[in-house]
Amino acid sequence: MPKPSEEFLKKPLYVFDLPPELLATLHLKGPSLLQPHLATDLDSFKENQQTFEDEDQQGRALSKPASTSCLMCGSTSLDVHEQRRHVKSDWHNYNLKQKLRGNKPVSEIDFEKLVEDLEESLSGEDSSESDDNKEEKDSFLTTQLKKQAKINQDGPDNEELPSEKRKRGAGRPPCVWFSSSLLPSNISLGIYRALFTNVEQEQGSDLVDAVRKKQLKPTASKVDIGGSNGVPLPSAMTGPQVFLCMVGGGHFAGMVVSLAPKLGKKSAGVEERQAVVVAHKTFHRYTTRRKQGGAQSSNDSAKGAAHSAGASIRRHNEAALEGDIRCLLAEWRQLINESQLCFIRATGSANRRILFGPYERQVLRHNDLRNRGFPFSTRRATQAELMRAFVELTRVKVSEVDEAALAAAAAAIENEKAAKTRASNVTPTKLSPPSVYKPSKQEEEALLHTTQLQALIRRSKAPALLSYLSSNSLSPDFPFYPLSTQTNHHAPTPLHLAASSNSPAIVLALLTKGGANPELLNQETKTAFELAGDRATRDAFRVARGEVGEERWDWRKAHVTSAISREEAERRRAKEKAQDEEKETERRKGEEERLKGMRVGMGEAAGKKSIGKALGAAEKTGAEKREEEGRGLTPEMRMRLERERRARAAEERIKRMGGGRQSG
């Protein structure tokens, strides 16, 4: 009899429809393991801050200048009066401006050379003199600073001052973790923090009650449809809903999804729950510069408006995309206002301005407390990506972590820091060079076998793979080395790699002839069947289950569905192939109809030109007709005419081939 934890974790858990038994025993996970790290980070921050302040005070004490010297200009005055005259001089003021702009000060000799270069442009004319010394000094400084700024911008050694960015802390984790008495102590359940309102997040102790209040009953699979366009009636969509939106790179995707799941068709006696999409819409416009990248508006802001045809098209498309999105948001105003949360991803200031304006009768606002960002990486804005993001947001995360191991690791980190602190107080000794790690003979052999097996699997060489395993006396479940790489972490055995590569021939050969174990799990606790990405690969597992037998492996533990025969799998593959061929035939038929219409139009135009032709005129050859048709045409028009002629010839050949098949 399976354990309760196995029953709960057998299928993905939906946040808004959790099992009642699990919901009754749910409680918040304590942050006991996080507190030592936070305290350590705080202590280290205080120590670093105190060290920085001590070094700053010590440096200022050591670098305290004499009362009559100027460190910025590097000059020394004999008395206070001479120092005051230096502070009022153009040299000192120029170096002060240079320091504010992040440039190095100049010496007195270099400053005199700069003055000689600009001697004629200080006051505009040689004969005119200014009575105001301040104006003369400001004119000189302004002119010299402008010239220096231009030199620095054009020069190759221009270095900008490093911007002082505020250091951000670790912040709150994206998930809130819970545990249950029905689950093992090392298994935790995570829910994205973004699904909770701001009030619920402030009341951290009541998050379990908030989860219980969010539970919804599944709706019936049949929804009342009204109107001729097949849009669900508003009365059928009265449950809570969320609004999801992505915009970037000329792509826009918006969707309103109901949080109440819908009961779908029964599969193996279990009712499947599906998401109910209330409304969805996507737009795409050509707005990004293909070769250089970036939006046209960003390029115009940085370099000025370009006058090319492509730039004009992109500007027009940006305005059209903005109008389409804002019109759609206005149509969805009621749906968005009724949504509990709004998940929005808008990259760049231009895209955020499209959504948040300001503009007249805007729908989305910056200060809306329902606004959320996606707490994970997202791809191009499409309807499929929005649905993937919704599933990721509403699916409960299952984490298997050993808290005792974490506590031991934290203690080891503390001991290592303490040892480093003690070592820093000891006089440093000469360190020996680090030794280079040399793999053992067994590790080299495992790495060689891993490379050969992965190459055979990726090239779908089933006989060669089985021969290699038998000739080298390797197990069909040979673990790839090293396990730390990303590929081996996801697919640690040949069967996992074959399933993830969608290679049904390799899967069938390993299971039926090689004797591979389908129950093995990878580092993500997934079987090989769960990594299969297409129907053909999954059918290979089901065929192997029928041929190997139910007694050989625990197929239910391997998550393999019911067994089928090879004939049934071939029939399904042939059916899919026939459907693809039927679609291709329909596409060709439509193309033929289009070419036929073009030919009829060209025939009518040629008939109009032939009116008034002399009855006794001699018949022209094909070459003469083509030469006459191309007379007076540009090379581009001649190429277009030649393509149309070849298309008509191809159409005639296809028509003759079709007639020959029908007569046969």
Side-chain angles (χ1 to χ4, degrees), residues 305-493:
H307 301 288
S308 63
S312 301
I313 293 173
R314 289 188 289 270
R315 291 192 197 96
H316 170 75
N317 289 342
E318 285 182 354
L321 180 63
E322 179 179 342
D324 293 342
I325 294 175
R326 290 182 177 179
C327 288
L328 179 67
L329 294 178
E331 294 177 3
W332 287 5
R333 181 184 296 273
Q334 183 178 358
L335 293 175
I336 296 175
N337 292 337
E338 293 175 356
S339 300
Q340 288 187 351
L341 298 172
C342 298
F343 292 91
I344 301 172
R345 189 207 73 185
T347 57
S349 59
N351 294 323
R352 289 192 293 270
R353 188 164 52 250
I354 292 176
L355 298 179
F356 298 106
Y359 62 93
E360 187 177 358
R361 296 179 59 82
Q362 70 181 68
V363 181
L364 300 175
R365 300 186 181 277
H366 280 292
N367 56 356
D368 194 345
L369 298 179
R370 301 175 301 165
N371 290 346
R372 298 287 190 277
F374 292 94
F376 45 83
S377 300
T378 55
R379 295 184 286 271
R380 177 178 292 178
T382 59
Q383 181 181 351
E385 179 63 14
L386 280 181
M387 181 53 65
R388 186 194 71 85
F390 175 77
V391 173
E392 177 68 18
L393 281 169
T394 56
R395 179 171 293 179
V396 178
K397 308 298 175 293
V398 180
S399 174
E400 186 174 354
V401 178
D402 190 356
E403 296 187 3
L406 284 180
I413 293 175
E414 293 290 341
N415 295 334
E416 184 178 356
K417 289 184 177 180
K420 288 182 178 180
T421 304
R422 290 192 299 268
S424 62
N425 299 329
V426 182
T427 304
T429 58
K430 187 176 181 180
L431 299 178
S432 60
S435 59
V436 180
Y437 175 74
K438 186 177 180 181
S440 61
K441 185 177 180 181
Q442 292 79 5
E443 292 175 345
E444 291 180 352
E445 292 180 355
L447 185 60
L448 176 62
H449 292 324
T450 299
T451 305
Q452 297 295 330
L453 291 175
Q454 290 179 350
L456 293 174
I457 292 173
R458 291 192 176 96
R459 288 184 292 173
S460 190
K461 302 291 185 181
L465 177 64
L466 296 177
S467 176
Y468 186 86
L469 291 174
S470 61
S471 61
N472 292 277
S473 301
L474 297 178
S475 170
D477 302 321
F478 175 78
F480 293 147
Y481 179 85
L483 193 61
S484 58
T485 61
Q486 184 176 2
T487 304
N488 299 341
H489 178 84
H490 181 68
T493 64

Side-chain angles (χ1 to χ4, degrees), residues 200 208-216:
E200 293 172 347
V208 177
D209 296 336
V211 173
R212 292 170 181 167
K213 292 178 182 178
K214 291 180 181 294
Q215 301 306 301
L216 301 172

